[in-house]
Amino acid sequence: MKQKSKSLIITIAVNACRVLLASTFIFSGFVKANDPLGTVYKLEDYISAMTWFTLPHTFLLASAIILAFFEFTLGTHLLFGINRKNVSRTAVAFMAIMTLLTIYIAIADPVSDCGCFGDVIILSNEATLAKNIILFGASVLICRYYRLQKDFLSAGVKWFIVLISFCFIIGYAIYCVISLPLIDFRPYKIGTNLLKGATTAGQTFDIKIVYKKGEETLELTTEDDDPDSTWTYVETRRTPLDTSDNAIADFHITDEFDNDITEDILAADEYAFLLIIPHLTKADEGCVDKINEVYDYATDYDIGFYCLTSSSDKSSQTYWSDHTGAEYSYYIANDRILKTVVRAQPGLVLLHNGIIIRKWSNYNMPGERDLLETFSLLSKE
């Protein structure tokens, strides 16, 4: 009787650990597939902090997609009991490597967070280590008693699941590279009011837009409607607020003379294009014709067009202008912020009254016809 009770407890524990591991791997793999470039940036952080060399962007992007595929596939194999012995051993080996890595990260602290779950769940290095120790223990248990993993599907159904999961995760990752993350967990998702959350060095501000008519002064918030044409715009005032849970990271734009023009762009009651190019010398030049179409469209229809980059040196700006025929000016913003705003190099953001309403990557940059359709739809909303 005791033996049966012990066996039942072990069986329950093994299958609970199996579900825990499977759920974690599937979730982690899906999050990485949803935002492959986010994984690339995290890999770059690791490489920069731990080595003296760099790796090509294409290689890192392929590695990010492969890692997403590996974790997601490992999770589905565990969940459905496919090839239980070898999959359990693979889980142990993988968790052993990840646990050793996170021990080093917890001690040396080369990066602020591991990036295991992208921007969905951000863990400290210590929390990541604790998580991996638990998962490693779970993987050892299911490997030791792999035969106790419940098998409730036929072989034909299992391999159909393998095929479906393979096609799904690879296809989904490629789609999210081309069309940007389908589910945006970052603070700069579509619908975000950048003006309302305008910050400097993490400081949040109360923003007042000042108008004047004769001797009368009118102060409005960013949520108020603009006054009639008899009022003249004077300035935008910012009063620092003491807050520790600001939802939007530091979004700060300067011109070539280091003047802050953030509000000048965001407070304008009109549309504006932000061309995001974190590094001018590393950007994809294959979409420059479309970018130039966007610039021409913006010029023709009197829409603001701002190229934001972290490349403040004139040589990089001259390189991009010479190679692309760019006629627009360059404005400076933080590299990490730009990579967070849009996962593309380059990427395009359309604002209206400081609110993000559209995003495009370098792979689906709009042309003039696309823009005509976009603004036609926006006029109906």
Side-chain angles (χ1 to χ4, degrees), residues 17 95 138 141 153 158 177 250 280 312:
C17 289
M95 286 313 308
L141 183 64
L153 295 176
K158 287 179 180 179
V177 171
D250 181 19
L280 292 170
S312 57

Side-chain angles (χ1 to χ4, degrees), residues 90 97 117 164 180 190 240 244 377:
T90 302
I97 294 171
F117 304 125
I164 292 299
L180 302 179
I190 290 176
S244 59
L377 290 172

Side-chain angles (χ1 to χ4, degrees), residues 71-112:
E71 290 189 352
F72 189 86
T73 303
L74 182 59
T76 55
H77 277 61
L78 283 169
L79 185 62
F80 294 103
I82 301 169
N83 198 4
R84 291 172 296 175
K85 183 177 181 180
N86 291 329
V87 168
S88 297
R89 289 177 174 177
T90 302
V92 170
F94 181 68
M95 286 313 308
I97 294 171
M98 297 308 295
T99 303
L100 289 173
L101 177 62
T102 48
I103 289 174
Y104 165 76
I105 292 172
I107 296 172
D109 196 30
V111 294
S112 57

